[in-house]
Amino acid sequence: MSENKKEINGYTSLTAYKKAECVFDITFYFVCNFLDRGHDRTADQMQQAARSGKQNIVEGYSDAEGSTESEHKLTVIAKGSLEELKEDYKDYLRNHNMEIWDAQHWKYKACQPLFRRHNDSAYYRRQIEGRSAEDIANIALIVIYQTLALLRGLIDRQDRLFLENGGIREQRYKARIQAREDKSKGNRW
């Protein structure tokens, strides 16, 4: 059962968390610089979706000690929040007659491998400073796609561990039975 004990702040070592933090920081900058926070409900929606993507990873990691189901559910919620944010960026670009970089676009091809190597939000804050809304929204999309892939991997890992080890309740029950068996064996001698 000791594999369920989580290190305090251990979530900060998860690449998915680091990328989600980058998405949050890019979105915060985007919302503050390109959306009317007072009159555009999308501004709050985008910021909350980015926040939820990051914070649900934290909560899921923390809840993992007590509930495998809760960890899985919160990781799926994080993924769903980032899916929602992805669509908000696409809507913004489409509705403002801006280009959405596809995988064949030269800027996408230039950014994607660079972003794969960088998981530090300070890097992205430097990269987006002073850029156009179109560039920042597309940068955000690339980082969101990468984060979604990482979350998919994390969800798959959680599923695999559940199938191999069961949930926390099941693991605790097995450990209790084993402790009783060990105790009764000790009393025989």
Side-chain angles (χ1 to χ4, degrees):
M1 265 185 10
S2 62
E3 69 264 4
N4 293 322
K5 294 192 185 209
K6 300 285 186 169
E7 178 183 322
I8 295 174
N9 294 336
Y11 59 86
T12 60
S13 67
L14 297 172
T15 306
Y17 171 79
K18 292 175 187 177
K19 282 287 193 197
E21 182 178 70
C22 297
V23 169
F24 176 82
D25 289 354
I26 294 167
T27 301
F28 183 83
Y29 182 91
F30 183 85
V31 166
C32 289
N33 288 279
F34 299 107
L35 298 179
D36 180 0
R37 296 181 75 123
H39 298 94
D40 189 349
R41 188 167 180 259
T42 305
D44 286 335
Q45 292 282 99
M46 289 179 74
Q47 196 156 343
Q48 288 305 313
R51 181 185 181 282
S52 177
K54 180 173 80 70
Q55 298 303 102
N56 277 297
I57 295 169
V58 174
E59 190 175 353
Y61 180 91
S62 299
D63 284 3
E65 276 190 78
S67 171
T68 307
E69 181 181 348
S70 181
E71 175 187 30
H72 185 268
K73 178 181 177 184
L74 289 163
T75 307
V76 170
I77 290 171
K79 184 178 173 289
S81 294
L82 293 179
E83 290 281 2
E84 177 184 338
L85 181 62
K86 175 186 74 175
E87 291 303 311
D88 284 334
Y89 275 114
K90 286 180 169 182
D91 291 345
Y92 179 89
L93 289 165
R94 190 180 60 257
N95 289 316
H96 288 85
N97 296 315
M98 296 177 182
E99 188 174 14
I100 299 173
W101 304 342
D102 65 14
Q104 302 311 309
H105 192 283
W106 72 269
K107 287 184 179 180
Y108 185 97
K109 286 181 177 183
C111 291
Q112 202 260 358
L114 276 174
F115 296 171
R116 192 178 295 132
R117 292 193 307 263
H118 291 281
N119 301 320
D120 175 19
S121 65
Y123 170 82
Y124 294 97
R125 290 192 306 272
R126 288 189 305 274
Q127 296 304 311
I128 63 174
E129 186 68 36
R131 290 188 185 256
S132 69
E134 181 177 299
D135 281 353
I136 295 171
N138 278 291
I139 287 169
L141 284 170
I142 293 168
V143 180
I144 290 168
Y145 287 129
Q146 291 176 347
T147 309
L148 289 170
L150 291 165
L151 285 171
R152 179 73 261 157
L154 187 57
I155 291 165
D156 289 347
R157 180 179 182 276
Q158 291 168 352
D159 288 343
R160 211 170 34 257
L161 288 173
F162 179 78
L163 290 174
E164 291 170 7
N165 304 322
I168 302 300
R169 220 179 275 164
E170 185 179 350
Q171 292 172 30
R172 292 181 77 188
Y173 176 76
K174 287 176 184 177
R176 189 175 77 223
I177 296 299
Q178 186 63 50
R180 284 182 183 164
E181 287 176 9
D182 292 347
K183 185 178 178 183
S184 70
K185 286 179 187 175
N187 288 337
R188 288 186 202 157
W189 304 108

